[in-house]
Amino acid sequence: MEFSGAVLDVDGTVVRGDDPIPGAPAGYRRLREAGIETLFVSNNPTKAPPAYVDRLGAAGYEVDAEQVFTAGTVTTRYLRGRHADDELLCIGAPGLVDQFEAAGLATTDDVDAADALVASIDREFDYGDLCTALWALERDIPFIGTDPDVVIPAPERDVPGSGAVINAIAGVAEREPDAVLGKPSDTAIEMVHERLPYPPEECLVVGDRLDTDIALGERAGMTTALVLSGVTDEAAVADASVSPDYVLGDLGEIDRIID
């Protein structure tokens, strides 16, 4: 098939930790040689796009900041559009708070002053954070999650992601989030269309997660390819409600799809 643009997931698709996934750099070069514009979209909300330029560059992928956005980027955009003047209580990594503050968003640690709660991956998440979230949400303020990833790939083995923190808070507060950003949210799809301004049928989405990467492509009307180099295996594909158009062992098999 002929494509003009391709959305590539990061963790589990092109890298695991800081190391390139075998075969993936060659697949990326093949996309570029075919004249396909690439866009890296990660559901990791903890780092801004410039950090991905360095990380991906060190792993062998030539990329600039305009070719990357993350769940942090998507969440920041959503908050600037709907909560620009609000005090945000953020349970998440310092890098996420830095992104909010860089965008002119106000944050607070005061549960009684917060206008909205934002929940995300936090490697220091503890019982105290659950108490903070519960007390803030008792005031019926908006509850926003950065991304739905319950488990994420890591160098040695998979680890809990933002979805684990969001679900814990939802459980104790007995309410679902008002919005969960990142892939496959409407805001993420809008940003993909802006960065890759081609007809959906000319775009390809490649990723290792059915419920985020493949769901985004399906919702956006794009061709989808699942790679088995991350968190999803073939057994999960058979049982899933979302079906990829292609299943590849890794990005290095991209020649099965593109001309």
Side-chain angles (χ1 to χ4, degrees):
M1 295 180 66
E2 293 187 4
F3 295 101
S4 300
V7 177
L8 302 178
D9 175 51
V10 178
D11 294 286
T13 301
V14 298
V15 292
R16 181 174 281 272
D18 292 326
D19 296 324
I21 287 174
Y28 177 64
R29 289 193 296 271
R30 179 70 183 90
L31 287 165
R32 300 299 297 274
E33 290 165 358
I36 297 171
E37 185 176 352
T38 55
L39 176 65
F40 290 93
V41 182
S42 171
N43 260 6
N44 183 340
T46 64
K47 294 179 175 65
Y52 275 84
V53 173
D54 296 336
R55 181 185 174 202
L56 291 169
Y61 302 94
E62 185 178 342
V63 60
D64 60 48
E66 288 302 307
Q67 289 176 267
V68 182
F69 72 79
T70 72
T73 318
V74 179
T75 303
T76 299
R77 174 173 172 145
Y78 177 91
L79 292 171
R80 289 187 67 183
R82 294 168 174 80
H83 299 278
D85 299 321
D86 287 349
E87 295 280 336
L88 305 171
L89 178 61
C90 183
I91 295 178
L96 179 65
V97 177
D98 290 345
Q99 292 174 70
F100 293 165
E101 293 179 348
L105 296 167
T107 60
T108 182
D109 294 325
D110 187 344
V111 296
D112 296 316
D115 298 306
L117 173 72
V118 182
S120 183
I121 186 172
D122 183 353
R123 290 174 172 81
E124 298 183 359
F125 181 71
D126 60 16
Y127 186 80
D129 292 316
L130 271 180
C131 292
T132 296
L134 174 63
W135 297 334
L137 293 177
E138 282 178 343
R139 297 174 41 241
D140 201 31
I141 61 174
F143 173 20
I144 298 144
T146 57
D147 64 277
D149 291 17
V150 175
V151 173
I152 56 175
E156 299 301 325
R157 58 198 305 176
D158 296 342
V159 297
S162 297
V165 174
I166 295 165
N167 290 347
I169 293 171
V172 75
E174 297 185 321
R175 61 175 281 195
E176 293 301 309
D178 298 286
V180 178
L181 285 308
K183 298 174 287 189
S185 70
D186 289 342
T187 307
I189 291 172
E190 289 170 7
M191 294 183 70
V192 166
H193 284 311
E194 290 171 4
R195 302 286 183 95
L196 296 177
Y198 307 110
E201 60 271 18
E202 292 182 19
C203 293
L204 172 68
V205 179
V206 185
D208 70 314
R209 301 188 70 102
L210 292 162
D211 59 344
T212 57
D213 305 311
I214 304 308
L216 179 140
E218 185 176 274
R219 293 187 63 214
M222 299 175 177
T223 300
T224 59
L226 178 80
V227 289
L228 301 177
S229 52
V231 300
T232 306
D233 59 23
E234 288 187 274
V237 177
D239 296 334
S241 59
V242 178
S243 298
D245 296 305
Y246 297 91
V247 178
L248 310 177
D250 56 62
L251 185 61
E253 297 179 8
I254 199 69
D255 269 331
R256 288 175 47 195
I257 303 174
I258 64 174
D259 290 330

